[in-house]
Amino acid sequence: MNIVKTVAGCIGGLFITALVVGNGQALAADTKIAVIDMKQVLSTSSAGKKAEGVIKQKMDSLQASLKNDQNALIEMQKESEKKGAAWSDSVKREKAATFQKKRQELAEKQDSANEELRKLREQQVNPVIKKLEEVVAKLAADNGYAIVLPRNVVLYATDAVDISNTVITELNKVMK
């Protein structure tokens, strides 16, 4: 009797599983999914190019400023290596303290520059992403997409479901 109940339970479980899987496949067949290559959108859209241009210009400026400080440190180190043997202990300590102070100042400038770039990137890119989200929501609604995913989180997607170029075109229109 127990064997009959167990077999009946297994058959019933298999039947329910088949129904769920079958209905899930039917539901999946009706679901439209699209992907977007966010890197492509941000690097080729007009607004993305503009934002990246502003960021690159600031980065180049900051790097040039930091390069002078780095070169000064390198020169101090070379001088210490060349003349260090001839210096008295007090001069060595003074030069080492000056070098450490300059190195610390450079590290602080680098941290400040990184923070400035982070804020600038946020300031420049966030409005583009906000508009991008609006464009994607409108395209999804207009075209019946239930899900739009970033391409980099999808293991596989055919080019047919990639709407990056359409998104770029629409983003360029709304960001003029």
Side-chain angles (χ1 to χ4, degrees), residues 128-142:
V128 177
I129 290 175
K130 184 173 167 79
K131 277 294 183 194
L132 175 63
E133 289 171 353
E134 292 172 13
V135 165
V136 169
K138 183 175 181 338
L139 282 172
D142 291 350

Side-chain angles (χ1 to χ4, degrees), residues 45 135 163-174 176:
S45 67
V135 165
I163 61 169
S164 300
N165 291 329
T166 305
V167 170
I168 292 167
T169 302
E170 291 302 312
L171 184 61
N172 286 342
K173 287 178 186 176
V174 299
K176 282 188 176 182

Side-chain angles (χ1 to χ4, degrees), residues 40-160:
Q40 177 189 357
V41 171
L42 292 174
S43 67
T44 59
S45 67
S46 299
K49 285 179 184 178
K50 181 180 175 189
E52 285 302 314
V54 169
I55 294 165
K56 185 179 181 336
Q57 184 179 12
K58 185 64 172 180
M59 186 172 24
D60 291 346
S61 169
L62 290 170
Q63 284 178 340
S65 172
L66 293 172
K67 186 71 173 166
N68 292 335
D69 292 341
Q70 288 172 337
N71 289 339
L73 274 177
I74 291 169
E75 289 303 316
M76 287 177 75
Q77 187 174 9
K78 286 180 182 177
E79 179 187 24
S80 177
E81 290 171 359
K82 287 181 184 176
K83 300 178 182 179
W87 290 340
S88 68
D89 287 343
S90 64
V91 171
K92 286 179 184 176
R93 281 192 302 275
E94 181 184 317
K95 295 284 187 178
T98 302
F99 180 81
Q100 289 299 329
K101 182 179 177 189
K102 294 282 186 189
R103 192 170 75 175
Q104 180 63 33
E105 288 172 358
L106 177 60
E108 290 170 3
K109 283 183 180 180
Q110 287 173 327
D111 289 345
S112 176
N114 286 336
E115 180 64 18
E116 190 175 342
L117 281 174
R118 185 193 64 76
K119 286 180 181 176
L120 181 63
R121 183 171 282 112
E122 193 174 280
Q123 177 187 14
Q124 293 294 316
V125 175
N126 281 355
V128 177
I129 290 175
K130 184 173 167 79
K131 277 294 183 194
L132 175 63
E133 289 171 353
E134 292 172 13
V135 165
V136 169
K138 183 175 181 338
L139 282 172
D142 291 350
N143 294 294
Y145 294 116
I147 301 172
V148 179
L149 300 167
R151 187 167 197 119
N152 65 329
V153 299
V154 177
L155 292 176
Y156 174 77
T158 66
D159 289 340

Side-chain angles (χ1 to χ4, degrees), residues 3-58:
I3 294 174
V4 173
K5 284 183 181 179
T6 304
V7 170
C10 287
I11 292 173
L14 289 173
F15 180 72
I16 291 172
T17 302
L19 283 175
V20 169
V21 170
N23 285 338
Q25 288 174 343
L27 180 61
D30 295 339
T31 304
K32 285 181 72 176
I33 298 174
V35 296
I36 298 173
D37 185 335
M38 294 293 288
K39 186 176 179 180
Q40 177 189 357
V41 171
L42 292 174
S43 67
T44 59
S45 67
S46 299
K49 285 179 184 178
K50 181 180 175 189
E52 285 302 314
V54 169
I55 294 165
K56 185 179 181 336
Q57 184 179 12
K58 185 64 172 180

